[in-house]
Amino acid sequence: MIPAIVATLIQQGLSLLGNAVLAKGQDVIEQKLGISLDKEIATPEGLIELKKLEFQHQEFLITAAQEDRRIDIARETQADANTANARGMNEKIQDSPNASWLAKNASYCIDFFVVASTTLLVALLFWKIIPDDNQNLAYLALGSMLTMCGQILNFHRGSSARSATKDVTIQALSKGAK
């Protein structure tokens, strides 16, 4: 969730400052700029002062946002590597002549159970078979199950759209860092 101060800064045309607050935290930015954002944003004069400070400390604010994006990219890269390792492990099990039927098929059975259960729950909700006093719980369960189905499809059918944009983001950050 985006803090209210960040949303207000961005609405006031102070997106560089807002992104830095999001990346580093309000306390760090206030200490660096020597101001109280809450006080400054409350008046037109304060907004003018913030615009001046944003311009004066532009390099620091950009660097703060870039560091945050680098951390995000590192997390995404690690998540992609974890998925690749899991797929590789699955390939080794499938190719192994010594692996049992259970070793080769347990994960697929679990995946089938999750997808079938999700489909059944959707059908029960669609045909209004679940009593009204349990529908909120059923929708909550459905949300969790749909998330699991998404992870199953992501594992078996390929990565998400976020990976397609990752390379572009990495290139943009590397150009900005030079």
Side-chain angles (χ1 to χ4, degrees), residues 90 93-108:
N90 189 39
I93 291 171
Q94 296 304 321
D95 291 341
S96 172
N98 299 326
S100 67
W101 181 93
L102 184 62
K104 289 185 176 189
N105 295 301
S107 62
Y108 295 108

Side-chain angles (χ1 to χ4, degrees), residues 36-135:
S36 169
L37 288 172
D38 293 321
K39 289 179 183 176
E40 296 293 334
I41 207 154
T43 65
E45 296 82 16
L47 287 172
I48 293 170
E49 181 63 24
L50 287 176
K51 287 184 192 260
K52 288 178 186 176
L53 288 170
E54 186 180 60
F55 182 74
Q56 290 172 355
H57 297 278
Q58 189 174 16
E59 187 176 334
F60 167 76
L61 298 172
I62 290 171
T63 303
Q66 283 180 332
E67 286 174 20
D68 192 53
R69 279 305 293 147
R70 281 190 190 101
I71 291 169
D72 289 345
I73 290 170
R75 285 184 189 135
E76 289 176 12
T77 302
Q78 183 61 47
D80 289 343
N82 289 342
T83 301
N85 288 339
R87 287 182 184 142
M89 179 187 70
N90 189 39
E91 285 178 26
K92 287 178 183 177
I93 291 171
Q94 296 304 321
D95 291 341
S96 172
N98 299 326
S100 67
W101 181 93
L102 184 62
K104 289 185 176 189
N105 295 301
S107 62
Y108 295 108
C109 292
I110 293 168
D111 294 350
F112 177 79
F113 176 76
V114 169
V115 172
S117 298
T118 303
T119 304
L120 176 64
L121 184 55
V122 167
L124 292 173
L125 286 167
F126 179 76
W127 287 310
K128 301 185 188 297
I129 295 174
I130 297 176
D132 289 340
D133 57 335
N134 290 335
Q135 284 207 354

